[in-house]
Amino acid sequence: MEVPDKFAALGLTYDDVLLLPGHSDLAPDDIDTTSRLTREISLRSPLISAAMDTVTESRMAIAMARQGGIGILHRNLSAEEQAYQVDLVKRTQTGIISNPVTIGPDATLEELDRTCGEYRVSGLPVVDGDNRLLGICTNRDLRFTPVAEWATTKVDEVMTPMPLVTGDVGISRDDATALLRKHKRERLPLVDADGRLGGLITVKDFVKSEQFPLASKDADGRLMVGAAIGYFGDAWERATGLIDAGVDVLVADTAHGHVTLLLDMVRRLKSDPATKHVQVIGGNVATREGAQAFVDAGADAVKVGFGPGSICTTRVVTGCGVPQITAVYEASLAAGPAGVPVIADGGLQQSGDIAKAIVAGAE
């Protein structure tokens, strides 16, 4: 008896396949793992940390970007908090901080300490109401004031006042390095002709750049970060807030992404003048038709995986799903010809599964 077509399809997952070994003439140092995250963003390591509240907030996103991958901030946060987390990542290991965190001269040392702790920095430029640079206040200045007096001592009483060693806005990296080295300073405030603060360069960022040469960075030298959004409630306001905070990629995804409302959200993000410049990943899908729908909606990458994760209950609760190797392959048949990268999301248990996913059609 012939098996009906519906039951004849073969579904494969990672444990069902092995890659055939072949001849290689590469040394380990010759291997380049650069791959595309989206149409326009490439990563030196083809790995993403998931937008789950037990996985990715700012510290994980920073760690992932430093190693050449990227982290996607989860959305179980208020829109403001999620945008704030984007800002935290963007302020870490930057080439030039164009909008440095500052403090006023009348703030207390307690406020200074709280702000430094929040942004994980050891000092802040001090500016007046017109953003003119008045001085700088660092841990070194705090050290000589007893903690008991921090609540009543103002910043301008202990700060190092102008004139400071400063650079001009627009200074080159090499010139900034030379100035820092010459004057043995850790921070170089950048000021314009009117004495207004226009940026900040720190030695720490140069050291981090050497320490993490594969780091994922945007055009301004800041670490890259993504953030997840949905398609209902405050999703649009959340998306625009994340873009204002500097997010590099938005991930519009739900457990079952092949739905009209989510496709409409991707279409709107990629057509609205305020948002279309930002890369958008759509998902999750598990079929060729699902991937094609996101390609047609304008997505810059398609995320594939319907419940393959070890702790994911989607398949158990809904009875739906496609084994992950087959899902990735089927999605690549739609996304590949369109030049849209496929992301294999979930089900990876061993390092070898990464290679299997890439061979199946994932980037």
Side-chain angles (χ1 to χ4, degrees):
M1 178 180 109
E2 229 178 288
V3 178
D5 283 348
K6 276 290 174 196
F7 296 96
L10 180 66
L12 299 171
T13 193
Y14 295 117
D15 290 342
D16 299 323
V17 298
L18 286 170
L19 306 180
L20 285 174
H23 172 75
S24 172
D25 56 5
L26 288 173
D29 287 348
D30 297 333
I31 295 167
D32 183 358
T33 56
T34 300
S35 56
R36 292 189 308 155
L37 172 71
T38 66
R39 292 179 203 258
E40 295 179 11
I41 297 174
S42 288
L43 303 175
R44 301 289 288 275
S45 300
L47 299 173
I48 308 167
S49 65
M52 297 165 66
D53 55 15
T54 51
V55 179
T56 310
E57 291 190 353
S58 59
R59 291 182 69 185
M60 182 63 164
I62 289 165
M64 289 296 296
R66 281 178 172 167
Q67 299 297 342
I70 196 168
I72 309 299
L73 299 166
H74 71 86
R75 64 170 180 263
N76 292 356
L77 297 159
S78 69
E80 294 74 20
E81 175 65 19
Q82 195 183 21
Y84 167 68
Q85 298 239 350
V86 168
D87 188 52
L88 283 180
V89 178
K90 285 296 177 184
R91 289 182 185 277
T92 304
Q93 195 185 327
T94 57
I96 295 176
I97 305 166
S98 56
N99 57 338
V101 181
T102 60
I103 199 154
D106 294 330
T108 65
L109 298 191
E110 210 169 57
E111 293 172 73
L112 173 83
D113 184 59
R114 192 183 313 122
T115 305
C116 286
E118 187 180 341
Y119 287 95
R120 294 174 175 264
V121 294
S122 57
L124 298 174
V126 184
V127 297
D128 65 14
D130 287 331
N131 206 40
R132 283 191 177 82
L133 185 64
L134 303 177
I136 196 159
C137 198
T138 68
N139 280 347
R140 191 177 59 185
D141 300 309
L142 289 182
R143 205 168 290 143
F144 300 102
T145 306
V147 175
E149 296 175 18
W150 283 11
T152 55
T153 306
K154 292 185 175 180
V155 166
D156 64 0
E157 295 175 48
V158 301
M159 72 180 187
T160 304
M162 288 291 280
L164 299 168
V165 177
T166 61
D168 296 325
V169 172
I171 191 172
S172 73
R173 184 189 177 94
D174 291 343
D175 289 345
T177 306
L179 264 177
L180 289 165
R181 189 176 293 134
K182 178 182 175 184
H183 297 282
K184 296 182 179 175
R185 292 289 185 271
E186 292 187 346
R187 294 172 185 77
L188 185 70
L190 306 181
V191 296
D192 62 18
D194 297 320
R196 290 188 177 89
L197 184 68
L200 182 71
I201 294 176
T202 70
V203 162
K204 185 183 74 174
D205 291 328
F206 290 158
V207 172
K208 292 290 186 191
S209 293
E210 291 167 8
Q211 194 177 349
F212 301 108
L214 303 181
S216 306
K217 295 179 181 177
D218 63 20
D220 296 320
R222 303 176 301 175
L223 293 179
M224 297 182 86
V225 62
I229 59 167
Y231 58 80
F232 52 84
D234 66 351
W236 183 256
E237 291 72 23
R238 181 180 291 267
T240 53
L242 291 165
I243 290 169
D244 289 342
V247 79
D248 297 286
V249 57
L250 291 172
V251 181
D253 66 343
T254 55
H256 174 37
H258 194 182
V259 293
T260 300
L261 289 173
L262 188 59
L263 291 164
D264 287 345
M265 173 59 84
V266 170
R267 210 171 277 116
R268 183 180 177 190
L269 286 167
K270 293 308 296 182
S271 59
D272 192 294
T275 60
K276 66 181 181 181
H277 63 287
V278 174
Q279 297 289 280
V280 176
I281 296 170
N284 275 17
V285 297
T287 63
R288 182 173 184 170
E289 293 76 19
Q292 188 65 55
F294 276 107
V295 169
D296 295 343
D300 298 298
V302 177
K303 196 147 69 72
V304 177
F306 203 109
S310 62
I311 59 166
C312 187
T313 60
T314 304
R315 292 180 183 175
V316 180
V317 171
T318 66
C320 300
V322 176
Q324 187 68 338
I325 285 276
T326 298
V328 168
Y329 173 70
E330 288 290 328
S332 74
L333 297 178
V340 175
V342 165
I343 296 166
D345 177 21
L348 301 159
Q349 298 179 78
Q350 314 292 339
S351 58
D353 294 345
I354 299 169
K356 294 176 187 178
I358 289 170
V359 170
E363 292 266 352

